[in-house]
Amino acid sequence: MSKNIAVIRGDGIGPEIVGEALKVLDKVAELYGHTFNYIDVDMGGCAIDKYGDPLPEGELKKCVESDSVLLGAVGGDKWNDVPGYMRPEKGLLRLRAGMGVYSNNRPAKIWKQLSDASPLKKSIVDECIDFIIVRELIGGIYFGEHKTEGDTAIDILKYSESEIERIGRIGFETAQKRNKKLCSVEKSNVLDSSRLWKKVMHKLKEDYPDVEFSDMLVDNCAMQIVKNPSQFDVIVTENMFGDILSDEASMITGSIGMIPSSSLGASSCGLYEPIHGSAPDIAGKDIANPIGTILSAAMMLRFSFDMAEEADAIEKAVSAYLDAGYRTSDIMSEGMTQVGCKKCGELIVSYLEK
Ligand code: NAD
């Protein structure tokens, strides 16, 4: 099979981690007889430096016309003082909206080899922690109007029934493919948009009688994720709550560097990226953990290219690498062998087999 992959290396550690994911994809192509064509796309701070725009139209077009997009991360202190509409993260929001990827899927799973790296008590980690946060990605407060008037700043949070319904259905369908439990998270005791969210979700649940449905307020959910994370199978929530909860969920698994994500809309062309940012504090030092990006590439194969066997092979190679005791510094523990970003990628490639 031949696929065109738009590759956004971005800023900070972006180029380092994406480089390792491409090595893994190249090995998959070799083992399974596929051709992956990489189309370089500039986005973020590097695009501001080059074009004065975090995502010029031509770069967005390359993404929309590709079979899928692999992204490292964007942003950094260098661009902190540029006006809001020009910030590197604006490129990311424009990319998500331009691709119409409204459903962001972020797994939170503790790898058995990394149970020591979780900050949670052993008794909690020993329960099976394996859930997914389905986050609405192109609506809500991040996409509402933002303005500052004198000493007052305003951000608008808005959701329509149809926006809630389409992500709600993804939540139910994701639960159907897993352990059939869905928890809808909102703040309906305070926000009108959340009361609408709850009303739509309750209407939808009639269509999915096989799914055990529950509601939870977002502040309680933040507590439950650290107190009793094994209660969750699938969480569905709006954009900002999902952003915050998924970072919290990633931390209980050991490191933000381990977690991949997929973002999909109506077509099979998806956006795949690790959930962390550009980590300027460790950029250029060859110490970043590339596994979140490598597993994002595996998700791309599984969800956009229908290559489940190839995706399984990548996940098995990551597991074999961890079994062999290799760790980047973010997940390093006693008795393990510390490796850098490049070495981590090379080792995972060496464990890849058909
Ligand atoms: P961050 O996720 O970049 O870093 C948080 C902490 O986690 C840092 O200590 C970092 O060193 C560590 N970390 C992150 N990824 C790691 C990895 N792969 N391996 C090892 N350690 C890792 O968050 P931040 O510091 O708040 O943000 C830095 C920049 O990234 C900001 O400009 C922010 O706006 C941007 N950002 C971009 C994205 C994106 O591109 N999707 C997402 C979040 C933040």
Side-chain angles (χ1 to χ4, degrees), residues 68-87:
S68 264
V69 180
L70 182 67
L71 163 68
V74 296
D77 295 347
K78 182 179 171 193
W79 304 280
N80 274 354
D81 295 328
V82 300
Y85 69 89
M86 262 251 307
R87 288 187 55 109

Side-chain angles (χ1 to χ4, degrees), residues 13 73-76 89 92 256-257 273 276-282 288-289 330:
I13 59 169
V74 296
E89 294 77 6
L92 186 56
I256 197 170
E273 54 178 319
H276 57 74
S278 59
D281 52 333
I282 58 167
N289 185 345
D330 54 316

Side-chain angles (χ1 to χ4, degrees), residues 244-353:
I244 298 166
L245 293 177
S246 57
D247 268 26
E248 184 194 9
S250 74
M251 202 51 234
I252 66 168
T253 68
S255 169
I256 197 170
M258 293 289 298
I259 315 286
S261 79
S262 66
S263 303
L264 284 154
S267 82
S268 64
C269 175
L271 170 62
Y272 296 86
E273 54 178 319
I275 71 159
H276 57 74
S278 59
D281 52 333
I282 58 167
K285 297 183 179 162
D286 190 34
I287 57 173
N289 185 345
I291 292 181
T293 318
I294 290 170
L295 293 173
S296 300
M299 285 180 110
M300 172 188 293
L301 302 185
R302 189 182 301 285
F303 297 129
S304 286
F305 301 166
D306 224 359
M307 297 181 186
E309 201 186 320
E310 292 84 333
D312 286 346
I314 295 179
E315 287 164 4
K316 276 191 199 132
V318 169
S319 195
Y321 157 92
L322 294 172
D323 278 340
Y326 295 108
R327 303 285 186 267
T328 41
S329 58
D330 54 316
I331 50 172
M332 183 59 190
S333 62
E334 220 183 307
M336 300 293 133
T337 308
Q338 190 163 331
V339 294
C341 180
K342 270 205 181 85
K343 188 76 188 162
C344 170
E346 283 163 18
L347 284 162
I348 291 171
V349 166
S350 75
Y351 287 113
L352 251 173
E353 53 190 32

Side-chain angles (χ1 to χ4, degrees), residues 141 145-157:
I141 200 161
E145 188 188 358
H146 309 287
K147 62 180 175 189
T148 302
E149 290 169 351
D151 63 357
T152 304
I154 301 158
D155 299 288
I156 304 286
L157 165 52

